[in-house]
Amino acid sequence: MTGSGNKNRMVRTRRAALTLIGAGALAAGGITSALAATDDDEVLTETKVLRDPDTPVAGNPDGNITIVEWSDYNCPYCRKLEPELRQVVQDDGKVRLVMKDWPILGPVSVTAARIALAAKFQDKYHQAHDAMMGVSSRLTEPRINELLAAAGVDMDRLKRDLTDHAKDIDAILKRNNEQAEAFGFRGTPSFIVGKYRVPGVLSMTEFEQVIADARKAKMN
């Protein structure tokens, strides 16, 4: 296939993967609740989706474009995408990455998400996240504990925080799930990039293009 053919195929793929959110969810004025699939009319407020103070953030916290990622630690596609997405965020330098745990692949996924969020209380969320995303095999609870201990997480403190902050952790996961359902996501990974909804996996080149498109849309 020629270079022109490759480019045209990429554009078609990107158009098929992306939905520019209009009045439905990400309107020009920000996120609205029009697509909310729950009884809570405030599920998709801009503050809750983009600025939830309890949700971990990577990249540039002052970036001019926000990517919101919903992921599951037992999702092979999330693991495969992780290093590429982080590279894109690092290379760009102006992307704020909001990390929403969405454990939809079984009880161990829920355990992993709760443990990662508990690690946040000792400022080790990112270490826990990277440790669990960095393996190729399906997680088990003993394997999770092993990975986090090796990553420098204080496991005694972690157990206390899991208990002491159980309601807060469960509330975060509930918000993440409600938002994902309201956006109509069907699996992990799923993303919001600026004003774009990205329900699936993109290549590094496609992510770079989406970020460029999102910046252009923000200016218009």
Side-chain angles (χ1 to χ4, degrees):
M1 183 178 287
T2 66
S4 176
N6 278 326
K7 182 177 180 181
N8 289 337
R9 180 185 60 78
M10 189 190 79
V11 170
R12 288 196 301 270
T13 300
R14 182 162 54 87
R15 285 175 178 167
L18 299 177
T19 302
L20 179 59
I21 306 298
L26 286 178
I31 299 173
T32 72
S33 60
L35 283 185
T38 72
D39 293 333
D40 183 358
D41 291 335
E42 300 299 321
V43 169
L44 296 185
T45 66
E46 183 169 357
T47 297
K48 287 185 178 179
V49 175
L50 302 183
R51 304 285 173 183
D52 186 334
D54 296 324
T55 301
V57 173
N60 183 344
D62 299 316
N64 57 18
I65 283 294
T66 295
I67 295 178
V68 187
E69 178 185 16
W70 283 262
S71 64
D72 184 306
Y73 290 108
N74 262 326
C75 167
Y77 303 106
C78 300
R79 292 173 178 170
K80 182 178 180 180
L81 179 69
E82 178 81 4
E84 296 186 356
L85 176 60
R86 292 302 186 94
Q87 190 64 53
V88 169
V89 170
Q90 179 180 321
D91 290 348
D92 184 282
K94 295 181 180 179
V95 172
R96 178 175 173 269
L97 177 61
V98 177
M99 305 163 72
K100 291 187 183 280
D101 291 288
W102 188 27
I104 57 175
L105 298 177
V108 175
S109 292
V110 176
T111 296
R114 295 187 78 255
I115 284 175
L117 290 170
K120 179 173 68 76
F121 294 98
Q122 56 177 286
D123 296 324
K124 292 291 179 68
Y125 173 87
H126 294 289
Q127 289 88 332
H129 176 91
D130 293 347
M132 290 189 285
M133 280 294 183
V135 297
S136 57
S137 58
R138 191 166 180 84
L139 293 172
T140 63
E141 189 166 351
R143 181 63 171 144
I144 292 170
N145 292 334
E146 177 185 310
L147 289 167
L148 268 61
V153 175
D154 181 333
M155 301 305 289
D156 291 332
R157 167 78 187 272
L158 183 76
K159 290 176 183 177
R160 293 196 301 271
D161 286 334
L162 273 170
T163 300
D164 294 345
H165 299 284
K167 290 184 179 180
D168 296 330
I169 292 169
D170 290 342
I172 294 169
L173 294 177
K174 182 175 183 289
R175 291 198 296 274
N176 292 352
N177 180 69
E178 288 176 345
Q179 291 164 11
E181 290 184 348
F183 276 122
F185 295 141
R186 297 181 180 273
T188 54
S190 290
F191 302 88
I192 295 294
V193 183
K195 295 181 180 180
Y196 289 95
R197 182 170 63 94
V198 186
V201 178
L202 298 182
S203 68
M204 288 180 67
T205 301
E206 288 168 336
F207 257 116
E208 290 168 354
Q209 185 61 57
V210 177
I211 291 168
D213 289 348
R215 285 201 173 102
K216 187 181 298 183
K218 186 177 180 180
M219 294 174 63
N220 295 334

